[in-house]
Amino acid sequence: MTHILVTGGAGFIGSHVTSALLAANHDVSVLDCAHPAAHREPPPAPDGAILHRADVRDRGAVRAALRGVDAVVHQAALVGLGAGPDDLPEYVGCNDLGTAVLLAAMSEAGIRRLVLASSMVVYGEGAYRCERHGPVRPTPRDADDLAAGRFEPSCPHCRQPLTAGLVAEDAPVDPRSVYAATKVAQEHLTAVWARECDASVAALRYHNVYGPRMPRDTPYSGVAAIFRSALAGGRAPRVYEDGGQVRDFVHVGDVAAANVAALGAGRGFRAYNVASGRPTTVGDMAGLLADAFGGPRPVVTGQFRLGDVRHVVASPARAAAELGFRAAVPPADGLREFACAPLRG
């Protein structure tokens, strides 16, 4: 048995991770500030966990929470694309300064094992191949193309259509939003820390997480929660672009299991995709939720957000080979369950 500190452990993913660690017979403490972007009301920690109500940027509070701790699972972060440039200081503060404070305190306490909640957004677009030029990295999509309904990225060399494939952890990072940039920075900070302290960092690049206790419709919710909230309000889910964006939707229970498995990762920094391995389009996901809920059919709007990417489909092979993690919940089954699952206020 070991003592694990989970930052953000009262949040959506963090609470499931905390419960999974408790079920695996770990002692668990939670550090959570109940940030208003994630919580309308301060949530309790899962039963059996010790709660420290504090911000990860508070050095004194972090030092206190780390007493007696053997490893840290770092979930605390602001998520989502953000509302605009005004969000920059809070995103960088919560995600990057918070991580730096945590790493400094861990070094001081002699704690050398970290599991980091990262994200597939670090990749930007996923993996693509041009028939003529082979593997290519498409440039960010142009606003004029998107407004004209040309949603698919093209080859940066010949402008011909591309074929999307599986993105692996060795793909170059290419952040295309403030949130993505802070996640890349977190990975870089923890990689330096692992090298300098001879420590272990497993950076789990979550794909599109969904499941019970997701927050209700806010600018920071995932697309699954936004659609689910619309259905609960009697409204049709509004699908951006043409609904053909491909994502990998992974159940929060599987994400929690991946965190438990990642505590056994080796020394040094290593990134892992956490995905179901069964991709689907956003339009199909919205339709499945609507059918299961018994609500109005989705509306495809043609609207777009410049920070969005078209296709991100993961290879889960590394996590399976090195951590023994394989997602157990098929998205079709999990999304049907999620259609009627309670959301968090």
Side-chain angles (χ1 to χ4, degrees):
M1 180 186 296
T2 55
H3 188 172
I4 314 297
L5 174 67
V6 183
T7 70
F12 163 48
I13 297 175
S15 64
H16 285 273
V17 171
T18 298
S19 296
L21 289 167
L22 289 166
N25 294 317
H26 294 289
D27 292 326
V28 183
S29 295
V30 166
L31 178 75
D32 198 297
C33 71
H35 196 289
H39 306 278
R40 288 187 173 90
E41 298 177 1
D47 290 343
I50 301 166
L51 176 62
H52 301 268
R53 182 72 74 203
D55 195 302
V56 73
R57 293 169 287 187
D58 182 334
R59 296 187 181 195
V62 171
R63 288 191 187 103
L66 286 173
R67 293 189 188 116
V69 164
D70 302 296
V72 175
V73 177
H74 185 28
Q75 304 289 320
L78 280 184
V79 301
L81 286 175
D86 288 348
D87 283 345
L88 272 163
E90 190 67 4
Y91 267 74
V92 173
C94 288
N95 298 0
D96 299 338
L97 176 60
T99 298
V101 169
L102 175 65
L103 294 174
M106 288 177 67
S107 179
E108 181 182 328
I111 301 166
R112 298 292 184 264
R113 185 163 296 276
L114 175 70
V115 178
L116 171 68
S118 188
S119 172
M120 58 91 172
V121 298
V122 301
Y123 296 121
E125 289 284 354
Y128 290 88
R129 184 176 185 84
C130 173
E131 187 174 308
R132 179 179 173 188
H133 294 99
V136 296
R137 298 285 295 172
T139 57
R141 295 180 295 169
D142 183 82
D144 291 338
D145 285 339
L146 293 170
R150 295 187 291 270
F151 301 121
E152 294 291 341
S154 58
C155 176
H157 308 295
C158 66
R159 308 299 297 171
Q160 292 302 302
L162 299 173
T163 301
L166 297 180
V167 62
E169 292 87 348
D170 292 334
V173 295
D174 185 16
R176 299 189 180 185
S177 68
V178 170
Y179 172 59
T182 65
K183 283 294 164 183
V184 171
Q186 283 185 310
E187 289 198 5
H188 288 169
L189 288 168
T190 57
V192 170
W193 176 81
R195 221 168 26 245
E196 293 184 349
C197 297
D198 189 28
S200 168
V201 175
L204 303 184
R205 291 174 176 170
Y206 301 159
H207 285 250
N208 291 73
V209 186
Y210 70 93
R213 302 202 297 270
M214 276 190 97
R216 296 184 187 278
D217 190 3
T218 77
Y220 307 93
S221 293
V223 65
I226 292 171
F227 291 167
R228 171 69 173 74
S229 296
L231 290 164
R235 305 182 306 277
R238 295 179 61 80
V239 179
Y240 279 16
E241 301 185 16
D242 60 359
Q245 312 93 299
V246 180
R247 297 289 188 271
D248 189 308
F249 293 93
V250 58
H251 192 274
V252 69
D254 284 327
V255 172
N259 277 268
V260 176
L263 287 169
R267 290 285 182 182
F269 175 92
R270 192 75 162 156
Y272 297 93
N273 286 326
V274 175
S276 74
R278 299 168 181 173
T280 187
T281 67
V282 172
D284 286 346
M285 181 272 288
L288 192 156
L289 283 177
D291 289 344
F293 189 85
R297 295 293 301 168
V299 174
V300 177
T301 67
Q303 293 175 288
F304 61 89
R305 297 185 299 181
L306 278 177
D308 281 337
V309 297
R310 183 63 175 173
H311 306 303
V312 187
V313 181
S315 168
R318 179 183 289 180
E322 298 183 11
L323 303 179
F325 167 74
R326 293 172 179 82
V329 182
D333 296 343
L335 287 165
R336 287 190 190 96
E337 173 199 57
F338 175 62
C340 299
L343 299 180
R344 193 180 72 235

